């Protein structure tokens, strides 16, 4: 069984056990998961963030059409990749698999049913950040139509609308969110910066395995960052009686 899946199951069990233990304290139940998604979506889908999206697309295009993407891919393949990097990449790649998104859903529902746990609050934000960022990810991937290094298609990372679906790294997006949320929740600087340092590792693994170009990884990571910032829950929003935020 993959290490990332084992860790996800262990954390879910910790959430359930801790939540059952705290039930006697009657902790206040947070807003339901759909309402949390609505609140996060209002913060994520703003004019300012759409301008950021356009700027990120332009930045990715600059790396793509200048040839930097392909030069970086060749440099990494010839100067960095080896047995050791392949072993590390195999381990960290697992954090970007689809079951990470499904585990985030389980955390969100468990936190609603058994509130009051630190793991639950972390899982709730992972769930809402993932749910709100996925529509942008899927649209970005399919509309721009960039290809993978390993596919060896003639247009490579350059944009061919609706031709391919690899312009943005989905693994990078999914894997970065849990670490970035943990960084926001941890108070100690060592833990906070440790989580931030781990957050791009799955993105690096996609470059190492020649599954994505540099610009595609950066776009996936940038989307994860913005989604996590939008999913941060204030004390007022944690209550089911909280008013919806307005933009």
């Amino acid at each position: 069984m993959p290490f990332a899946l084992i860790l996800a199951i262990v954390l879910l069990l910790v959430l359930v056990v801790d939540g059952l233990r705290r039930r006697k304290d009657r902790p206040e139940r947070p807003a339901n998961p759909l309402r949390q998604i609505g609140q996060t979506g209002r913060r994520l889908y703003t004019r300012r963030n759409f301008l950021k999206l356009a700027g990120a697309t332009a930045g990715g295009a600059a790396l793509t059409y200048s040839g930097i993407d392909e030069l970086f891919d060749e440099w990494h393949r010839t100067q960095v990749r080896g047995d050791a990097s392949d072993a590390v990449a195999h381990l960290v790649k697992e954090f970007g698999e689809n079951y990470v998104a499904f585990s985030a859903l389980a955390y969100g529902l468990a936190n609603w049913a058994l509130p009051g746990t630190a793991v639950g609050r972390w899982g709730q934000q992972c769930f809402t950040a993932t749910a709100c960022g996925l529509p942008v990810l899927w649209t970005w991937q399919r509309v721009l139509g960039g290809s993978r290094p390993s596919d060896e298609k003639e247009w490579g990372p350059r944009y061919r609308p609706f031709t391919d679906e690899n312009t943005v790294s989905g693994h990078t997006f999914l894997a970065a969110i849990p670490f970035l949320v943990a960084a926001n929740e941890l108070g100690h600087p060592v833990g906070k910066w440790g989580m931030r340092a781990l957050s791009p590792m799955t993105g690096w693994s996609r470059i190492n395995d020649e599954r994505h170009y540099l610009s595609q990884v950066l776009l996936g990571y940038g989307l994860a960052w913005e989604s996590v910032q939008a999913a941060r829950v204030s004390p007022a929003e944690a209550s089911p009686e909280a008013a919806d935020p307005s933009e």
Side-chain angles (χ1 to χ4, degrees), residues 32 40 112 170 185 237:
N32 71 69
T40 299
W112 181 72
E185 292 296 296
E237 292 168 343

Side-chain angles (χ1 to χ4, degrees), residues 88-102:
V88 175
H90 178 73
L91 176 65
V92 299
K93 168 186 173 291
E94 297 171 359
F95 289 92
E97 298 292 353
N98 288 333
Y99 52 71
V100 172
F102 288 111

